[in-house]
Amino acid sequence: MTAFSERVAANILPLSQSQTLSVAFKEWAVTDGMIDHEQAIETCQLCDQEDLRYQYEIANRITRRRLWVGSSCILRFDVAVLEKGVLLSGKDRERKLNRLLTETRRRTCIASLERLAAAEKDERLIAALAYYRKHEHLTPKFAAMVLWRLSVAKIEHSPTFFKVCLRRDQHKRDLQTMRLQQVHTLWPALTSAQRQTAIALGHRPPPPPVLAPPAPPPSS
Ligand SMILES: [Zn+2]
């Protein structure tokens, strides 16, 4: 066994009934659990790969044990991916993992918007929530308002999960006439192409985050 498969075996066999790697994997399937950590900070519990941003949950149908793993391990080890009880194959497996990601982000956004709307009882927030539920994205005006209010209210949220629509001319005009501070508020939610559009409309990107200066050397 290679070092890689030894690590995988050491992680999965104690949680499986079969003690043969290829058979043990057949006991496992992807659940609908998925976490987008927004930054590459997690570890695959199967192969120990670090710097993972997305973790998917897999569960063993016999032992009921669970692991949080990267999508590449799911695809590499052919862990079962199901849709409404039907086993998927080929590209459909990847598509399903992508859908889980989209759905996770959508649910996270709705949960933070609901908390904000309940806390502030503001018509504009309720309208933004209804708009997001219907379209699964926000207009630039809604996005700037919502992201600002979420941070002021200190409600946990993930700015990069919100999608902003810039297709209509009206949306572009709204972005163009926005104050720079508002543009910077919605910046994390913009795709790289949308950021280029914002720059073409005359805005500047936000300054890079200021890093803390290094600690002075200990005095002797
Ligand atoms: Zn892995």
Side-chain angles (χ1 to χ4, degrees):
M1 269 207 278
T2 63
F4 180 82
S5 42
E6 269 173 25
R7 280 203 304 278
V8 170
N11 283 328
I12 202 161
L13 292 182
L15 310 179
S16 306
Q17 190 179 62
S18 168
Q19 293 306 296
T20 307
L21 204 50
S22 58
V23 184
F25 268 115
K26 296 200 186 315
E27 300 168 12
W28 293 77
V30 171
T31 72
D32 283 345
M34 194 270 153
I35 305 172
D36 178 351
H37 294 279
E38 286 194 82
Q39 290 166 24
I41 49 167
E42 271 301 335
T43 302
C44 174
Q45 295 181 346
L46 202 48
C47 70
D48 298 338
Q49 187 207 311
E50 293 178 346
D51 304 330
L52 215 58
R53 171 172 170 171
Y54 309 115
Q55 276 183 317
Y56 294 84
E57 188 189 47
I58 62 172
N60 184 301
R61 65 186 150 75
I62 300 167
T63 64
R64 302 278 164 202
R65 303 300 291 268
R66 284 156 193 269
L67 286 174
W68 289 92
V69 306
S71 59
S72 48
C73 266
I74 291 171
L75 299 173
R76 185 202 306 246
F77 295 109
D78 223 7
V79 179
V81 182
L82 298 120
E83 178 73 49
K84 298 191 175 87
V86 178
L87 198 59
L88 299 179
S89 61
K91 284 276 168 204
D92 285 340
R93 296 157 50 76
E94 265 175 80
R95 279 188 207 111
K96 163 86 187 203
L97 297 181
N98 285 334
R99 276 203 302 283
L100 284 177
L101 171 63
T102 309
E103 179 56 22
T104 299
R105 289 177 173 171
R106 197 185 63 83
R107 270 203 312 268
T108 309
C109 290
I110 287 189
S112 41
L113 277 175
E114 279 176 340
R115 283 187 59 201
L116 181 64
E120 310 225 338
K121 309 241 184 316
D122 177 326
E123 290 296 325
R124 288 200 307 156
L125 291 174
I126 293 165
L129 175 58
Y131 188 94
Y132 184 81
R133 278 188 199 282
K134 183 169 174 196
H135 300 282
E136 300 191 7
H137 61 243
L138 291 171
T139 65
K141 276 183 164 179
F142 269 150
M145 187 262 297
V146 156
L147 291 172
W148 170 249
R149 301 278 294 269
L150 281 166
S151 69
V152 170
K154 294 195 169 54
I155 289 176
E156 199 183 317
H157 67 289
S158 303
T160 59
F161 292 1
F162 284 94
K163 282 192 278 182
V164 178
C165 187
L166 270 187
R167 278 199 294 270
R168 293 191 186 172
D169 288 344
Q170 182 64 49
H171 294 156
K172 292 199 183 75
R173 277 197 296 275
D174 289 344
L175 182 64
Q176 187 167 26
T177 53
M178 224 174 243
R179 281 183 292 120
L180 190 60
Q181 192 191 8
Q182 290 176 296
V183 176
H184 289 177
T185 304
L186 69 82
W187 197 266
L190 299 178
T191 63
S192 43
Q194 290 176 329
R195 290 173 184 180
Q196 289 309 316
T197 303
I199 291 166
L201 291 171
H203 294 298
R204 289 196 294 283
V210 180
L211 299 172
S219 52
S220 52

